[in-house]
Amino acid sequence: MKKTLLFLLISISIFAHDGGHFGGHDVLRIWHLTDGSIIRGNFSSATSDVLILEQFQGAKVRVPIANLSPQDQKFAVVKINRSSRMNGFVEVDKPVSYLPYFNLLALAFFALLLMEKLRLRLVFRRFAYSSFLLAFVALACKTAAEVTPITPSAPVTAIPKTSVSYLDSAFAPYKPALSTTSDATYFYVNSTGLPAHNMMVGITAWQQQVPIPQPYTGTNHWSIPLQPVYASTPLSTTNNFMKGAVALAVNGVPIFNALNNRGEDSFAIGELDQWGGHCGRGDDYHYHAAPLHLSTVSGLKAIAFALDGFAVLGAKEPDGTAMLTLDTNHGHEWKGNYHYHGTTNYPYVIGAMRGKVSLDPATPAPENQILPQAFSSSVRPALTPLSGATITDFSAPTSSSYNLTYKIGSKTGSVNYSWNTSGLFTFNFTDVNGTQTTSTYQRK
Ligand SMILES: [Zn+2]
Ligand SMILES: [Zn+2]
């Protein structure tokens, strides 16, 4: 009898840890590394290239994802995608409750006493042992695999819903070039993405892309949430949102991460014009720096709205006083609400997304773009950087044509282009040796 009970106890403890669950603090997942070694820990969080594992008693360890075995790299991606999709929800490792263990053990103990007393045949006793073990394992699994929302350490402040009239007044100076609508959830902006100010002049790192009107209309309009919600953990722009826009300027031009899609400070490396913008691979004009020049028209009003719904102000507070100290998100609370500020130094507009945003599950960090957002569309294949070129002049001969002039050394080249109402684009290129070419493209 004593022997049997001991066997039962050992079996239970083996079964409880053998199932490969990474739920309990004392049940750590084993990660295999490429050099053959192993590391124990449960997925906690991750940056673009480092996995942070939680070990015994909450100790954290950083593991470069590249050092994991191919199979565990795949597993890491699944965990990262799952946690970013939950956006504000993380898989919390729940300590396994030991109460069911003791209940079961007590039950098993009395059952065994009874069976010994009745002198049941061995086969019945074995059947009884197995049933208890199975029930116990099922219970342990159920306790471990649960997903719990983060409990914020400080109470979440209720953020007032942004009024449509406030948003409308910020975008109003740029009508009718852009138009706005709204429903109960979003304020929508239709625009071409082309500003009224000049563009392109001053760029010294040019990819040969030029601004063309973009179809940010209809279902491809910009959407600004009317009810911002604080994110439990603001996502940093240093390792997130390197694809797509993070904000929309009040003139209908999107604002991208200060870092380009290669992770470089776009402004610092000469990619931007005098207005803080340039064109992407779809010939889509966008800012990477703060369009503080919009304050000339906007005054103390917002110069942009982040895609989390919070306003981006210029260099002053709404009451005209000097800008308060900014937090790491590049903003601060103001009268029960929150806003960002545009500045002339990195990160220029947003350091981390203070509000909760939905992420595109198809594009993992750092290229995790915010949804919903408007998408640019190209009419021609993307070009390559033109070494040594500086854009010296840009003009609009008509409302549907632009002339761009650049210099390489003392030689001048140009791109003169136009489009018509049926979406036919005609490009006339003159390179610095005087060679001329013409290309036409039809927008589909
Ligand atoms: Zn860009
Ligand atoms: Zn402020």
Side-chain angles (χ1 to χ4, degrees):
M1 155 71 197
K2 268 182 187 161
K3 227 180 213 171
T4 335
L5 193 60
L6 188 67
F7 165 76
L8 180 70
L9 280 168
I10 291 168
S11 304
I12 283 174
S13 74
I14 289 169
F15 266 79
H17 292 84
D18 204 24
H21 286 284
F22 16 94
H25 280 298
D26 56 344
V27 188
L28 299 174
R29 187 179 192 274
I30 293 170
W31 299 80
H32 295 268
L33 305 181
T34 47
D35 64 2
S37 62
I38 59 158
I39 190 157
R40 288 169 200 273
N42 295 329
F43 175 85
S44 169
S45 59
T47 66
S48 58
D49 52 3
V50 174
L51 204 64
I52 293 142
L53 301 176
E54 193 175 345
Q55 299 188 310
F56 185 63
Q57 292 186 332
K60 297 271 170 76
V61 63
R62 295 164 66 85
V63 185
I65 293 171
N67 291 5
L68 294 171
S69 71
Q71 206 174 2
D72 279 355
Q73 281 193 23
K74 275 185 204 153
F75 185 76
V77 169
V78 170
K79 296 293 282 185
I80 292 162
N81 286 349
R82 202 202 302 180
S83 72
S84 63
R85 258 206 308 282
M86 284 180 223
N87 192 35
F89 286 75
V90 293
E91 196 166 1
V92 172
D93 295 334
K94 265 197 131 182
V96 174
S97 162
Y98 288 96
L99 194 62
Y101 289 45
F102 291 119
N103 289 344
L104 264 178
L105 281 177
L107 206 62
F109 181 74
F110 285 118
L112 283 171
L113 277 183
L114 194 68
M115 283 188 289
E116 290 291 333
K117 198 158 188 161
L118 294 177
R119 298 191 182 282
L120 284 177
R121 286 170 62 181
L122 187 67
V123 62
F124 284 116
R125 296 210 296 267
R126 280 201 179 143
F127 177 74
Y129 298 155
S130 314
S131 304
F132 282 126
L133 288 177
L134 280 175
F136 171 68
V137 169
L139 198 64
C141 297
K142 194 172 178 288
T143 318
E146 279 185 52
V147 172
T148 316
I150 292 172
T151 313
S153 48
V156 173
T157 321
I159 305 159
K161 192 170 180 177
T162 313
S163 75
V164 170
S165 61
Y166 171 72
L167 279 149
D168 222 29
S169 72
F171 286 90
Y174 301 95
K175 291 180 181 180
L178 56 77
S179 65
T180 62
T181 55
S182 65
D183 60 21
T185 315
Y186 290 107
F187 183 80
Y188 302 106
V189 180
N190 297 281
S191 73
T192 60
L194 293 174
H197 61 68
N198 204 359
M199 294 174 276
M200 306 302 281
V201 178
I203 291 175
T204 58
W206 183 42
Q207 313 265 346
Q208 301 192 67
Q209 308 296 151
V210 296
I212 63 168
Q214 292 292 336
Y216 302 138
T217 54
T219 53
N220 193 43
H221 49 200
W222 294 98
S223 309
I224 298 160
L226 290 172
Q227 178 63 76
V229 177
Y230 279 140
S232 7
T233 309
L235 292 172
S236 168
T237 50
T238 59
N239 50 10
N240 292 282
F241 318 128
M242 283 178 203
K243 192 169 194 243
V246 293
L248 179 68
V250 291
N251 61 350
V253 174
I255 302 177
F256 280 34
N257 195 322
L259 305 176
N260 64 22
N261 52 13
R262 294 180 304 280
E264 304 156 325
D265 181 339
S266 206
F267 176 76
I269 63 168
E271 281 189 339
L272 305 184
D273 62 22
Q274 297 168 8
W275 299 268
H278 73 168
C279 297
R281 294 167 66 82
D283 290 316
D284 53 308
Y285 187 78
H286 55 258
Y287 302 119
H288 282 271
L292 288 166
H293 47 84
L294 296 180
S295 293
T296 315
V297 172
S298 299
L300 298 172
K301 285 180 183 163
I303 56 168
F305 285 86
L307 298 189
D308 62 5
F310 288 121
V312 180
L313 302 186
K316 287 184 175 168
E317 295 303 338
D319 60 5
T321 55
M323 184 179 79
L324 297 178
T325 307
L326 303 183
D327 60 23
T328 52
N329 310 308
H330 215 242
H332 62 91
E333 285 191 10
W334 176 267
K335 296 182 178 173
N337 208 326
Y338 188 88
H339 60 240
Y340 302 98
H341 278 273
T343 61
T344 53
N345 40 33
Y346 183 86
Y348 310 106
V349 184
I350 297 169
M353 206 47 85
R354 186 67 188 90
K356 209 170 183 175
V357 285
S358 298
L359 300 172
D360 185 349
T363 58
E367 300 209 316
N368 45 352
Q369 63 185 347
I370 297 169
L371 291 181
Q373 72 168 286
F375 295 100
S376 61
S377 81
S378 58
V379 298
R380 57 176 188 152
L383 298 173
T384 50
L386 188 61
S387 184
T390 297
I391 297 172
T392 52
D393 194 45
F394 193 81
S395 62
T398 68
S399 60
S400 56
S401 64
Y402 287 125
N403 291 347
L404 179 149
T405 309
Y406 63 92
K407 272 197 155 75
I408 297 178
S410 58
K411 292 179 168 180
T412 301
S414 66
V415 185
N416 299 341
Y417 60 105
S418 62
W419 59 93
N420 65 21
T421 48
S422 55
L424 183 73
F425 288 75
T426 305
F427 289 80
N428 293 304
F429 303 95
T430 305
D431 72 14
V432 288
N433 300 317
T435 309
Q436 295 193 2
T437 45
T438 299
S439 300
T440 57
Y441 300 97
Q442 177 64 49
R443 188 187 279 288
K444 289 176 189 90

